[in-house]
Amino acid sequence: MSDRRERVKALLDQVLDLEPERRDAFLARECGSDPDLLTEVRSLMTALDGADDPLERPALAGSGTPFGREGSVIGAYRLLRRIGEGGMGVVYEAERADQQFDRRVAIKLIHAYGHSEEVIRRFRQERQILATLAHPNIVSMLDGGVAPDGRLFLVMEYVEGQRIDDWVVERGLSVEARIDLFRQVCAAVQYAHQNLVVHRDLKPGNILVTRDGVVKLLDFGVAKMLDPGTDPERTVTEAGARALTPAYASPEQLRGEPVTLLSDIYALGVVLYELLAGRGPYAFGGESLFEIERIVSSREPTRPSAAVASADAGALRPRVRAQELRGDLDQIILTAIRKEPERRYPSAAQLGEDLRRFLSGRPVLAQPDTLRYRARKFVQRHRSSMAVAVVGSLALAVGVAGAAVQGARARLAQARAEQQAQDVRRLLGALVFDVHDAISDLPGATEARALLLDRAYASLEGLAGDVEGDPALEWEVAEALLRLGLAQGQPAGASLGDLGAAARSYEMGIALARSAVHERPDSMRYRRTLAVLQEQLGDALAFRGDVEGGVDLARAALSGYRIIAEQHPDSVRHALSVVISLVKLGDLTGNPNFPNLARPDSARAVYGEAEQRLEAPPLGAAEGWGVRRFRALVQERIGTLARQRGDGAAARTAFEASLRMRRQLAAEAPNNVDAQRDVGVAHQNVCELEAAAGAVSRAAPHCTAALDVYRTLHIQDTSNAQGLTDVASGHRSLASLSEEAGHVDDALSHYAEARTWLLRRLDRDGTDARSRLELARVEALHSRLARLHGRPAPYRAEASSRLEALIEAGLATPEDQALLHALRTGFRT
């Protein structure tokens, strides 16, 4: 065989040196007695005909190793191991053989038996396509030529990665993370389409993901370049060319019709279906190509949300996964895989954009743009009938309120008609207070609350100038501004996450409430509204970086609550308000889970007073739901400080007590968002405590339960910015736990997930100091772990920059400074 190969090589060298008109006579003379030899040399000549670039010249540097095995040399590369094989050729991992520098590559080598005109054409086509494309999510071509045995080869970027479907399952990625990853695929396909390249064989096996979560699209062996002068949606492939993978091929592709850019959109939809549901839209099981064509062309696909219940998508809880897919994601996927090409997304970019809209909670283009649909986006699917009814009548109610207010303004300006003002107050009271408060605790009501209050405020703003001197109207407008601020942005409750807008509403409300208190200093109702506004503004300031300003307002609020409680010593409600205010002051004074002044001893004293008040009259004998909730909350805060000072036993006692109480409260109030979230926080506290003690097996169920709670609440209300922070926090806890267990890949994946969620949170409001600090920490922890294990650290520079800015602003802790030092010194610990 070696002599035969050398004979072919020698003849090829000689014939290529001759003028074209002399080659046939030369070959007839030299190969006349061996027709197989003549056929082989002529085949190679056909492949190299017209070659005038290095990629078409034989790479004749050889070794004594039989070619096509590990150790063979092609040009400057030595084959290491076979990593894949297809109909056209085999792919090897290879390394530089000339020792000029270290580099791993992938070499695609045509089968020894594969030098048909079609294979050679496809090979040249792939080479041309890869030379055309330069995108971070598309494998790049480095070199090419002819192997020692005459076979054509390509040298490509070596991707040390995993099939995208296996990658997401092994890491147990959330729906949001899978969508983020898939959007990289959309970007790569869109780039190819913009360069007039149709892939024609998009499937999970041709989409790899590196350890760092970077998608690489490969195998353009059956791709097609379009004629720039043609319509890319209509003319793309020659008749009869049916290179395809049936499970991912579009109906028109299966029928042998011209394949278009829209055929790639169909394949993208099938891949997305599998990533999210764990199975394809059709359950194939050994059918013929004809039968597959019939099924795909005539049968409607199962909705992904219905398919996931029986699928193994790496999702431990199929019901939660099905709920996540139901609605917008169902519609997005089914639009991508419509049977009629013209009804699919017109481009991969538009598919990716609709997925981005879904992630940000905005209406998606795949859904009919109806008022009903947009209303449903405010109050997400599966809400109580009350919330739905409120949204349905929202526009009418607000319009009536606005008209009444404007009419009242005119009448007040003319005659200051007290009765008319009373009518306005009653209407606003029903709209702003009764309706808003009825839906405020329901899952999914965040955007509805904001819309309701924003519309009401637009009407009230014009009335504000007329309420001076009327403390009752000043108080009512201040109360409306308080509710508007809570819906706009609050760090510890459901809101849209816009702390800046919330702060402005609180400031205007404080001015009005102060005026009302000045006019009626004996009104405890007016004083309480002022205290609540001060408390909320303090939170907003602290979470935007002004912790001292936040503490000052928290103290002012506490003073107001104490005055009210002293006036009503038997009131459970007012006594509880003092407790809540003490907790908020303690949080900002020295709780590591909040922006704080780093005074844990002072915080401990404040929490201690809150605990004593909960045990003393009138709260000691109270068994109301709100009182019991804050008993659990105070236990959590006490446990946090105990853990901070290293008292694990005290922390465990407090955390377990808090979890026990919160489970009971959540069972009593299954539709209360705060109650359900409290359970998640309690699980997370126990998890982190057990993980710090090295008890990984005891910690894991609690971390998983916490993330499940956070994900479920986020699904129920994607407008709630707190949900984004919570899911990020859950992933960070699981990252720390995985790191403690030595599962480096899982830890890096969870850190990357946490980063994704925090970036989405900061898209809402970039001034949120807690989220900025958490993002810097997550990036730093990811980078440190990656470098300690010899992995790339893609977020290192960003983490350093963020931490430096936060330290300069006085918002970071000594632990954050240690992280920054690790980033600067090569991650030595």
Side-chain angles (χ1 to χ4, degrees):
M1 180 65 71
S2 178
D3 291 342
R4 173 84 171 185
R5 184 169 57 252
E6 291 299 319
R7 176 64 173 154
V8 169
K9 183 175 69 174
L11 286 173
L12 187 63
D13 284 343
Q14 293 174 59
V15 76
L16 289 175
D17 286 335
L18 298 174
E19 289 80 4
E21 61 269 22
R22 298 175 56 193
R23 292 176 181 175
D24 286 342
F26 172 82
L27 290 175
R29 183 176 67 252
E30 296 294 325
C31 305
S33 61
D34 191 343
D36 290 338
L37 177 62
L38 176 62
T39 300
E40 190 169 353
V41 174
R42 279 182 168 169
S43 177
L44 289 173
M45 286 177 58
T46 301
L48 299 175
D49 184 41
D52 58 358
D53 63 74
L55 294 180
E56 294 281 25
R57 296 175 189 145
L60 301 179
S63 69
T65 306
F67 187 73
R69 300 180 184 175
E70 287 80 357
S72 300
V73 174
I74 301 180
Y77 301 98
R78 178 179 291 106
L79 303 185
L80 297 177
R81 64 186 180 94
R82 181 178 295 201
I83 57 176
E85 186 169 4
M88 189 165 67
V90 62
V91 181
Y92 290 89
E93 179 186 357
E95 64 180 358
R96 291 284 299 195
D98 55 10
Q99 299 182 340
Q100 293 296 313
F101 54 87
D102 292 332
R103 183 168 198 173
R104 286 283 195 276
V105 298
I107 292 184
K108 186 172 188 176
L109 184 69
I110 286 184
H111 284 304
Y113 55 80
H115 285 85
S116 68
E117 291 185 6
E118 172 62 17
V119 168
I120 292 171
R121 185 196 65 76
R122 284 168 54 185
F123 177 86
R124 286 178 168 173
Q125 180 81 13
E126 182 173 16
R127 188 196 68 182
Q128 181 59 42
I129 286 172
L130 289 176
T132 302
L133 303 178
H135 189 274
N137 298 122
I138 296 177
V139 66
S140 58
M141 186 184 74
L142 306 174
D143 200 353
V146 182
D149 64 349
R151 285 189 279 170
L152 305 173
F153 71 89
L154 284 177
V155 182
M156 299 173 290
E157 170 190 6
Y158 175 65
V159 180
E160 186 175 353
Q162 190 176 16
R163 286 171 52 120
I164 189 170
D165 51 351
D166 293 338
W167 201 86
V168 301
V169 169
E170 285 192 10
R171 287 158 180 78
L173 296 191
S174 65
V175 165
E176 288 82 0
R178 294 180 191 217
I179 292 172
D180 276 333
L181 192 70
F182 181 77
R183 290 183 65 226
Q184 294 185 46
V185 184
C186 292
V189 173
Q190 176 67 17
Y191 175 83
H193 288 180
Q194 287 172 335
N195 284 273
L196 301 179
V197 173
V198 188
H199 191 282
R200 299 201 296 179
D201 196 22
L202 293 170
K203 57 186 178 182
N206 287 337
I207 305 168
L208 299 186
V209 185
T210 70
R211 289 185 300 182
D212 301 314
V214 177
V215 163
K216 290 288 185 178
L217 182 60
L218 58 146
D219 199 351
F220 284 77
V222 299
K224 173 70 179 175
M225 294 192 72
L226 309 183
D227 182 344
T230 64
D231 179 354
E233 291 191 2
R234 300 192 64 82
T235 307
V236 284
T237 185
E238 55 280 344
R242 299 185 71 185
L244 51 82
T245 302
Y248 301 90
S250 64
E252 65 271 17
Q253 195 172 2
L254 288 167
R255 292 191 295 266
E257 298 171 1
V259 177
T260 74
L261 299 180
L262 298 176
S263 301
D264 275 356
I265 302 302
Y266 180 93
L268 283 174
V270 176
V271 172
L272 180 60
Y273 193 121
E274 288 191 354
L275 291 181
L276 299 186
R279 50 153 282 189
Y282 304 99
F284 296 130
E287 291 88 349
S288 66
L289 184 61
F290 174 80
E291 184 63 15
I292 290 174
E293 175 191 328
R294 188 190 67 79
I295 292 172
V296 172
S297 297
S298 62
R299 186 179 301 173
E300 288 303 318
T302 305
R303 284 186 171 273
S305 59
V308 76
S310 59
D312 178 12
L316 297 178
R317 294 157 185 82
R319 289 183 180 178
V320 174
R321 176 62 55 83
Q323 184 180 354
E324 290 180 284
L325 302 188
R326 191 173 296 121
D328 283 353
L329 286 177
D330 272 342
Q331 195 62 34
I332 288 171
I333 295 170
L334 293 176
T335 298
I337 62 173
R338 288 190 185 279
K339 301 184 186 307
E340 309 87 352
E342 67 277 7
R343 297 183 64 197
R344 298 173 198 152
Y345 285 100
S347 68
Q350 189 164 347
L351 171 57
E353 169 62 15
D354 230 12
L355 291 169
R356 187 192 69 79
R357 294 172 70 89
F358 167 79
L359 291 175
S360 63
R362 298 170 60 196
V364 302
L365 302 177
Q367 291 279 19
D369 189 17
T370 64
L371 288 175
R372 181 179 180 182
Y373 169 61
R374 289 183 174 273
R376 191 166 68 248
K377 291 301 291 181
F378 292 141
V379 178
Q380 298 293 324
R381 294 169 295 279
H382 310 296
R383 301 300 180 260
S384 75
S385 58
M386 181 188 298
V388 174
V390 167
V391 174
S393 60
L394 187 61
L396 176 61
V398 171
V400 171
V405 169
Q406 295 302 321
R409 283 191 64 196
R411 287 187 288 274
L412 285 169
Q414 294 172 8
R416 305 292 296 173
E418 182 61 26
Q419 184 58 48
Q420 296 296 332
Q422 291 295 335
D423 292 342
V424 171
R425 285 199 290 271
R426 280 195 296 271
L427 182 56
L428 289 174
L431 176 64
V432 177
F433 307 143
D434 297 343
V435 174
H436 170 271
D437 292 353
I439 69 171
S440 62
D441 291 332
L442 293 176
T446 302
E447 199 159 351
R449 290 166 52 214
L451 175 62
L452 173 66
L453 294 166
D454 186 57
R455 296 281 180 86
Y457 173 68
S459 298
L460 286 168
E461 187 177 26
L463 187 60
D466 292 330
V467 301
E468 185 176 355
D470 186 335
L473 274 176
E474 288 176 331
W475 171 77
E476 289 180 4
V477 176
E479 279 283 317
L481 287 165
L482 169 61
R483 285 162 171 76
L484 174 60
L486 291 173
Q488 289 171 324
Q490 54 174 322
S495 74
L496 297 177
D498 190 345
L499 294 176
R504 291 189 291 274
S505 295
Y506 297 144
E507 287 170 351
M508 288 188 285
I510 286 173
L512 290 169
R514 277 181 175 155
S515 177
V517 170
H518 178 74
E519 295 287 336
R520 290 280 307 278
D522 58 326
S523 173
M524 296 299 105
R525 181 171 60 173
Y526 298 171
R527 285 187 179 275
R528 188 178 188 283
T529 296
L530 175 60
V532 176
L533 283 161
Q534 290 171 326
E535 186 175 77
Q536 293 301 326
L537 179 58
D539 271 355
L541 292 182
F543 277 80
R544 299 185 80 203
D546 184 5
V547 182
E548 290 187 357
V551 169
D552 288 343
L553 280 163
R555 287 176 175 151
L558 178 59
S559 177
Y561 287 128
R562 289 188 192 276
I563 292 172
I564 298 169
E566 289 170 1
Q567 293 292 320
H568 301 84
D570 298 326
S571 170
V572 170
R573 179 193 181 200
H574 294 313
L576 185 58
S577 294
V578 175
V579 168
I580 296 171
S581 188
L582 285 166
V583 169
K584 288 185 173 291
L585 178 59
D587 292 344
L588 300 184
T589 302
N591 189 319
N593 294 329
F594 297 86
N596 68 92
L597 297 178
R599 299 172 188 167
D601 291 339
S602 298
R604 194 176 307 119
V606 173
Y607 291 148
E609 181 183 347
E611 186 178 30
Q612 291 172 3
R613 285 180 172 268
L614 284 167
E615 296 172 354
L619 297 177
E623 288 299 323
W625 191 89
V627 174
R628 288 186 292 139
R629 181 184 179 228
F630 272 88
R631 285 184 186 137
L633 187 143
V634 168
Q635 286 302 307
E636 176 218 308
R637 299 303 205 263
I638 290 172
T640 297
L641 294 187
R643 178 187 169 194
Q644 184 184 35
R645 66 177 182 270
D647 189 345
R652 178 172 284 101
T653 298
F655 284 156
E656 290 178 350
S658 179
L659 176 58
R660 185 172 56 256
M661 289 187 279
R662 285 175 164 180
R663 279 174 164 166
Q664 178 60 41
L665 291 165
E668 295 175 16
N671 291 322
N672 186 289
V673 173
D674 289 334
Q676 304 307 315
R677 180 179 181 271
D678 284 349
V679 173
V681 172
H683 275 299
Q684 189 174 358
N685 285 329
V686 175
C687 167
E688 292 178 350
L689 184 67
E690 296 288 11
V696 174
S697 61
R698 291 202 304 267
H702 290 289
C703 267
T704 302
L707 186 56
D708 282 347
V709 169
Y710 298 151
R711 281 174 168 171
T712 299
L713 291 175
H714 172 69
I715 293 166
Q716 292 174 342
D717 192 352
T718 57
S719 298
N720 182 6
Q722 183 186 50
L724 303 175
T725 307
D726 286 343
V727 176
S729 178
H731 277 295
R732 181 182 168 183
S733 293
L734 277 168
S736 299
L737 186 64
S738 299
E739 186 174 350
E740 178 70 25
H743 301 150
V744 177
D745 287 340
D746 288 344
L748 291 174
S749 177
H750 282 299
Y751 280 132
E753 282 262 17
R755 178 178 184 269
T756 297
W757 287 90
L758 288 166
L759 287 171
R760 290 174 60 190
R761 169 65 184 92
L762 288 168
D763 282 344
R764 304 275 188 96
D765 180 6
T767 67
D768 182 356
R770 180 176 65 171
S771 296
R772 288 164 51 211
L773 185 57
E774 278 300 297
L775 176 60
R777 289 168 176 167
V778 163
E779 289 177 337
L781 291 168
H782 182 286
S783 300
R784 183 183 67 179
L785 179 62
R787 292 293 293 272
L788 284 173
H789 291 272
R791 310 283 183 85
Y795 315 134
R796 180 182 180 184
E798 292 174 89
S800 296
S801 176
R802 294 188 211 277
L803 282 175
E804 287 172 0
L806 290 161
I807 289 170
E808 288 180 7
L811 300 175
T813 67
E815 289 79 9
D816 297 319
Q817 294 176 352
L819 264 180
L820 179 59
H821 178 73
L823 289 169
R824 289 171 169 170
T825 57
F827 304 92
R828 292 189 298 272
T829 56

